[in-house]
């Protein structure tokens, strides 16, 4: 540093005293007040900080600043000029100042004023310094004359091309480094000579045998004499290895986004990680995972002490004959407590190791299976824990033995990024498996395990969950026996996937069964179901993230009721695909059931469609997942479904399997529910009906007619319960109902049904008879003796029915 002048000594006019160069610095606010004063400023002008700070900067000037300089500084961010300054002892100093405007607090700004003060030069100047710059520049420099022959080359150029300047002097670039890019560079040098403009070579200039990664990016600049004439060309190149490696790392990281985690299969994801890493990052890679419970549970915590057992999930090596490292995928591997793997898992971050590290030596000494490290010549190793959402899932090992360069910190960063992406995918896959298992369990508990026995229809069904990561959906089906030997068929599809969809499906299925038990017509049932979905939506709509599919809005449903006595079937649908009908002669077509809106929209009506079905007709009810195969369009799907339904088959299970085989070539993208029903008929020999007068005296005749019919059917054992039931129901119809009155008996396989119709809409109900009451016990006895009983309303009147089992169970 420059020494302070001694008393009586005056610096020269340049202001330099004997010593090193330094910088004088001061800050001046917009009002011209000095706000900062450096030690260098004190050395230059002799003022202490306390003498200057807070004072006007004008007192430091030997002359007033001219108006031109003031205008130049106004409104600018930077100013430079020569100013005459006054030293504390009064002598004059001429100094070049550089001033920067800077903002300190909000809109308030100030000027930072600096001045370099020269002392004795510490480095040579002139030609010597220029020679230093040329020879020792970190860039590769070479000068070619007007004939494009080399005249100068710096040390970097000599090292890069393994040739001395003397060996290269007088040669053209293609002769020094034979390569097509050298010819391109020479063409650009000639252009620089002719145009006087700098040129660039986008490719690499490199000697024979040097790879592109070790090449250099080159610029060519024309060298001009003082008169502007171009007399030579300067070639400047900078090494691009680190830039190339950084670019390759980013490309690999971007590629990993599409190559890792393409499926929900854990082992496949682990193998994708290994395949991405080898050979572009490592010569071998292995992925070991901690054992997780079945059904996608989380692995146990990493033990703080003791060995760690993991399962090999994936391995990849550039050596085809001896895959490294062992063991093979599917086998167990045990890591000692102090091994690098155990330490990295405990610390929760990755680490770089050279094969000479004591930790590697200790590991190979403790674990004979770690001998593969030296056996394949591994010289550099990375160990990276696999962690996601605070859970340790396993570890990834990366090694190099073919590539000579050891792993760098940037390689470890890349390995951690790749491993983290695979860990997130594996963690999500396990969570998906867990949620799917839970959803499947819930759905299986809600779907019918066995179809009920009934005489109206022969039934077969299939349910296939989606095979995608979207999860199990809310498709469902049901078969519901109704009064009068009728049966209801229902197929529905809840919007969405996962537990919410399955839970909503369960609520709607329960609601359908409840509404079916009161014998609502199909259109009325869907109207009540629509109201239920709207209420569910209102209840759940405030839940965060649930508004879109709250309560199952958009759910579709098809509801059908078949009567084997009349062979008539009534349908209504809410946005659901129409049912397909196969007549006994093999013709297939869709039934023209009005579509109706999906459930939850509210305020829109549902319409019914009724048709008579020949005995032996085939009905196919399904969800839309059956028609949404990705490898064919809807028309082709319909043709395949119709063809499969039309082919004769001995069993309905065969029909179901045939339809699914024809429609699906892979696991479905959406859930599929399929319900196939073949109609049966109860002919007149199984049904007996009598019109009754509204007279209490007719009750005895009704009992006699019923017992005679039972004798005809060979059901004498059922006479007692039937007589009691007929007496009670007919008596109630005469006493509380209105004519006309009709009694009907239906013999449906193992069930006997007694029905009494009257035109009154008043429904009977049981009541508790008091001790001395003369009536009120008949309907209670019917309920006790019958298997089930109820009331079915019609547009005019009602039917009270009771059903008894003939199987003796």
């Amino acid at each position: 540093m420059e020494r302070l002048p001694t008393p009586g000594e005056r610096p020269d006019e340049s202001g330099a005293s004997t010593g090193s160069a330094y910088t004088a610095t001061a800050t001046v606010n917009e009002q011209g007040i000095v706000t900062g004063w450096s030690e260098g400023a004190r050395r230059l002008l002799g003022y202490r900080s306390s003498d200057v700070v807070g004072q006007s900067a004008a007192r430091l000037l030997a002359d007033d600043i001219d108006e031109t300089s003031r205008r130049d500084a106004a409104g600018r961010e930077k100013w430079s000029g020569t100013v005459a300054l006054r030293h504390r002892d009064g002598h004059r100093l001429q100094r070049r100042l550089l001033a920067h405007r800077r903002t300190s607090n909000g809109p308030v700004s100030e000027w930072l004023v600096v001045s370099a003060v020269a002392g004795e030069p510490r480095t040579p100047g002139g030609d010597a310094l220029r020679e230093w710059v040329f020879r020792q520049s970190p860039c590769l420099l070479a000068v070619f004359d007007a004939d494009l022959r080399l005249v100068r080359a710096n040390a970097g150029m000599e090292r890069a091309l393994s040739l001395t300047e003397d060996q290269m002097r007088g040669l053209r670039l293609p002769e020094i480094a034979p390569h097509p890019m050298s010819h391109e560079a020479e063409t650009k040098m000639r252009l620089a000579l002719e145009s006087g403009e700098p040129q660039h070579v986008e490719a690499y200039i490199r000697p024979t045998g040097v790879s592109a990664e070790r090449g250099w990016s080159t610029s060519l600049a024309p060298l001009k004499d003082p008169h502007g004439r171009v007399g030579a060309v300067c070639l400047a190149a900078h090494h691009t290895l680190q830039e190339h490696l950084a670019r390759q790392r980013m490309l690999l990281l971007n590629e990993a986004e599409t190559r890792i985690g393409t499926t929900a299969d854990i082992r496949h994801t682990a193998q994708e990680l290994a395949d991405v890493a080898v050979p572009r990052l490592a010569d071998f890679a292995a992925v070991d995972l901690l054992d997780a419970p079945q059904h996608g549970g989380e692995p146990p915590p990493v033990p703080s002490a003791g060995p760690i057992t993991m399962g090999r999930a994936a391995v990849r090596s550039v050596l085809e004959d001896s895959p490294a490292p062992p063991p093979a995928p599917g086998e167990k591997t045990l890591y000692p407590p102090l091994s690098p793997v155990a330490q990295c898992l405990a610390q929760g971050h990755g680490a770089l190791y050279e094969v000479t590290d004591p930790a590697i030596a200790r590991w190979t000494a403790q674990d004979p299976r770690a001998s593969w490290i030296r056996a394949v010549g591994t010289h550099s190793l990375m160990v990276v824990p696999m962690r996601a959402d605070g859970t340790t899932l396993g570890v990834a090992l990366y090694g190099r033995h073919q590539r000579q360069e050891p792993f760098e910190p940037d390689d470890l960063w890349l390995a951690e990024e790749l491993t983290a992406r695979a860990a997130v995918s594996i963690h999500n896959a396990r969570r998906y498996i867990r949620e799917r298992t839970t959803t499947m369990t819930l759905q299986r508990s809600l779907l019918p395990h066995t179809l009920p026995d009934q005489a109206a229809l022969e039934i077969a069904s299939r349910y296939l969950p989606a095979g995608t990561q979207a999860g199990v959906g809310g498709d469902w089906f049901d078969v519901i026996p109704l009064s009068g030997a009728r049966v209801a068929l229902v197929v529905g599809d809840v919007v969405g996937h996962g537990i919410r969809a399955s839970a909503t499906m369960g609520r709607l299925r329960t609601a359908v069964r409840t509404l079916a038990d009161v014998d609502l017509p199909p259109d009325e049932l869907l109207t009540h179901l629509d109201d239920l979905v709207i209420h569910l939506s209102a209840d759940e709509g405030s839940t965060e993230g649930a508004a879109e599919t709250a309560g199952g809005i958009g759910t579709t449903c098809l509801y059908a009721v078949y009567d084997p006595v009349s062979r008539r079937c009534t349908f209504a649908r809410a946005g659901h695909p129409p049912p397909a009908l196969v007549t006994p002669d093999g013709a297939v077509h869709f039934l023209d059931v009005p579509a109706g809106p999906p459930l939850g929209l509210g305020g829109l009506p549902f319409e019914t469609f009724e048709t008579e079905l020949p005995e032996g007709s085939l009905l196919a009810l399904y969800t839309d997942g059956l028609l949404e195969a990705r490898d064919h369009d809807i028309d082709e799907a319909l043709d395949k479904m119709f063809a499969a339904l039309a082919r004769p088959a001995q069993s309905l299970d065969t029909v179901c399997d045939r339809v699914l085989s024809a429609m699906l070539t892979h696991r479905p993208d959406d859930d599929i529910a399929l319900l196939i029903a073949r109609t049966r008929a109860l002919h007149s020999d199984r049904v007996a009906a009598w019109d009754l007068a509204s007279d209490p005296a007719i009750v005895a005749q009704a009992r006699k007619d019923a017992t005679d019919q039972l004798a005809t059917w060979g059901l004498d054992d059922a006479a007692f319960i039937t007589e009691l039931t007929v007496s009670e129901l007919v008596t109630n119809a005469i006493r509380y109902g209105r004519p006309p009155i009709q009694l009907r008996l239906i013999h449906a396989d193992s069930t006997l049904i007694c029905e009494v119709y009257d035109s009154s809409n008043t429904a009977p109900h049981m009541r508790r008879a008091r001790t001395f009451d003369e009536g009120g016990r008949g309907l209670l006895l019917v309920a006790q003796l019958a298997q089930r009983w109820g009331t079915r309303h019609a547009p005019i009147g009602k039917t009270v029915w009771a059903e008894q089992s003939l199987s003796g169970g």
Side-chain angles (χ1 to χ4, degrees), residues 514-531:
T514 302
L515 295 171
D517 280 344
V518 296
D519 268 312
L520 287 181
D523 55 339
E524 291 187 29
L525 183 142
L526 291 183
T527 300
H528 284 282
L529 203 61
D530 184 52
D531 291 338

Side-chain angles (χ1 to χ4, degrees), residues 241-272:
L241 174 60
Q242 293 304 320
E243 292 180 7
H244 177 79
L245 291 177
R247 184 164 57 251
Q248 292 302 310
R249 290 186 183 108
M250 295 309 299
L251 289 174
L252 184 58
L253 196 60
N254 291 335
E255 183 179 331
E257 292 184 0
T258 58
R259 290 184 57 187
I260 297 178
T262 59
T263 70
D265 184 275
I266 293 175
R267 291 187 179 276
H268 187 77
T269 300
Q271 189 62 53
E272 287 173 338

Side-chain angles (χ1 to χ4, degrees), residues 336-497:
L338 298 180
S339 65
V341 171
Q343 290 180 337
C344 286
L345 287 177
Q347 296 168 359
H349 58 77
L352 289 172
Y353 295 93
E354 301 297 324
V355 74
T356 56
D357 286 347
I360 300 295
R362 187 168 56 246
W363 180 18
T364 54
Q366 290 178 333
D367 184 5
R369 300 188 70 176
S371 59
W372 60 266
I373 297 176
R374 301 184 187 279
V376 299
T378 303
H379 60 81
S380 188
L381 188 70
M382 291 189 297
V383 183
V384 181
M386 301 189 74
R387 291 179 55 83
D389 198 19
T391 301
T392 300
L393 305 175
V395 68
L397 303 174
Y398 305 92
R400 283 182 179 173
H401 49 77
Q402 298 290 99
R403 196 183 312 189
Q404 298 303 312
E405 302 87 1
F407 288 122
E408 301 176 350
D410 286 343
D411 294 318
L412 178 60
W413 171 84
L414 177 60
E416 289 176 333
E417 289 294 317
L418 296 177
T419 305
R421 298 193 179 193
V424 169
S425 296
I426 290 174
H427 180 68
N428 290 340
R430 283 180 169 166
R431 184 173 59 186
Y432 165 73
I433 293 172
R434 182 171 64 251
E435 292 179 354
R436 180 181 176 85
T437 301
T438 302
T439 305
M440 287 292 295
T441 301
L442 173 62
Q443 192 169 55
R444 288 194 184 101
S445 68
L446 297 174
L447 289 173
H449 295 174
T450 59
L451 299 178
D453 293 332
Q454 38 75 39
L457 297 168
E458 179 188 356
I459 300 289
S461 64
R462 293 291 185 272
Y463 174 79
L464 292 180
T468 64
Q469 295 190 28
V472 178
D475 293 19
W476 94 93
F477 63 90
D478 209 345
V479 178
I480 308 170
L482 303 177
S483 63
R486 297 169 307 128
V487 64
L489 303 177
V490 58
V491 175
D493 186 356
V494 174
V495 174
H497 295 82

Side-chain angles (χ1 to χ4, degrees), residues 161-392:
L161 299 179
S162 300
L163 295 170
T164 65
E165 184 182 73
D166 290 339
Q167 291 173 320
M168 294 185 285
R169 185 178 293 112
L171 298 177
R172 293 167 43 238
L173 182 60
E175 298 166 345
I176 299 171
H179 192 276
M181 292 300 102
S182 296
H183 291 281
E184 180 182 344
E186 187 176 62
T187 300
K188 292 291 183 69
M189 281 194 285
R190 193 177 310 280
L191 184 60
L193 281 172
E194 295 172 354
S195 67
E197 299 293 332
Q199 304 295 321
H200 300 280
V201 180
E202 298 295 337
Y204 297 95
I205 301 300
R206 56 184 183 272
T208 304
V210 176
S211 64
E213 300 91 70
R214 296 181 177 278
W216 293 270
S217 181
T218 307
S219 297
L220 304 166
L223 302 179
K224 302 178 182 179
D225 63 17
H227 302 289
R229 294 187 295 267
V230 179
V233 177
C234 177
L235 182 152
H238 64 277
H239 197 241
T240 60
L241 174 60
Q242 293 304 320
E243 292 180 7
H244 177 79
L245 291 177
R247 184 164 57 251
Q248 292 302 310
R249 290 186 183 108
M250 295 309 299
L251 289 174
L252 184 58
L253 196 60
N254 291 335
E255 183 179 331
E257 292 184 0
T258 58
R259 290 184 57 187
I260 297 178
T262 59
T263 70
D265 184 275
I266 293 175
R267 291 187 179 276
H268 187 77
T269 300
Q271 189 62 53
E272 287 173 338
L273 171 61
D275 292 343
V276 166
V278 177
R280 293 169 62 180
L281 173 63
D283 295 327
F284 69 77
V287 180
D288 294 332
L289 298 177
L290 293 164
D291 289 335
Q294 292 184 347
H295 310 306
E298 297 294 349
V302 177
S304 57
I308 299 175
T309 301
M310 288 187 282
R312 177 60 47 85
V315 65
R316 175 73 184 273
S317 172
V318 295
L319 299 178
E320 297 181 359
D321 296 336
S322 81
E331 298 180 2
K332 296 291 184 181
T333 182
L334 181 69
Y335 291 104
L338 298 180
S339 65
V341 171
Q343 290 180 337
C344 286
L345 287 177
Q347 296 168 359
H349 58 77
L352 289 172
Y353 295 93
E354 301 297 324
V355 74
T356 56
D357 286 347
I360 300 295
R362 187 168 56 246
W363 180 18
T364 54
Q366 290 178 333
D367 184 5
R369 300 188 70 176
S371 59
W372 60 266
I373 297 176
R374 301 184 187 279
V376 299
T378 303
H379 60 81
S380 188
L381 188 70
M382 291 189 297
V383 183
V384 181
M386 301 189 74
R387 291 179 55 83
D389 198 19
T391 301
T392 300

Side-chain angles (χ1 to χ4, degrees), residues 483-563:
S483 63
R486 297 169 307 128
V487 64
L489 303 177
V490 58
V491 175
D493 186 356
V494 174
V495 174
H497 295 82
I499 293 179
R500 175 180 293 277
S502 292
T504 301
M505 177 270 286
R507 301 170 81 172
L508 296 182
R509 178 172 176 260
T510 301
V512 170
R513 278 191 159 266
T514 302
L515 295 171
D517 280 344
V518 296
D519 268 312
L520 287 181
D523 55 339
E524 291 187 29
L525 183 142
L526 291 183
T527 300
H528 284 282
L529 203 61
D530 184 52
D531 291 338
L532 172 63
V533 171
I534 293 174
H535 289 307
L536 292 178
S537 173
D539 291 342
E540 299 182 9
S542 59
T543 304
E544 183 178 357
E548 184 176 346
T549 60
I553 288 180
T555 294
T556 65
C557 183
L558 171 63
Y559 186 77
V561 176
Y562 175 67
D563 185 346

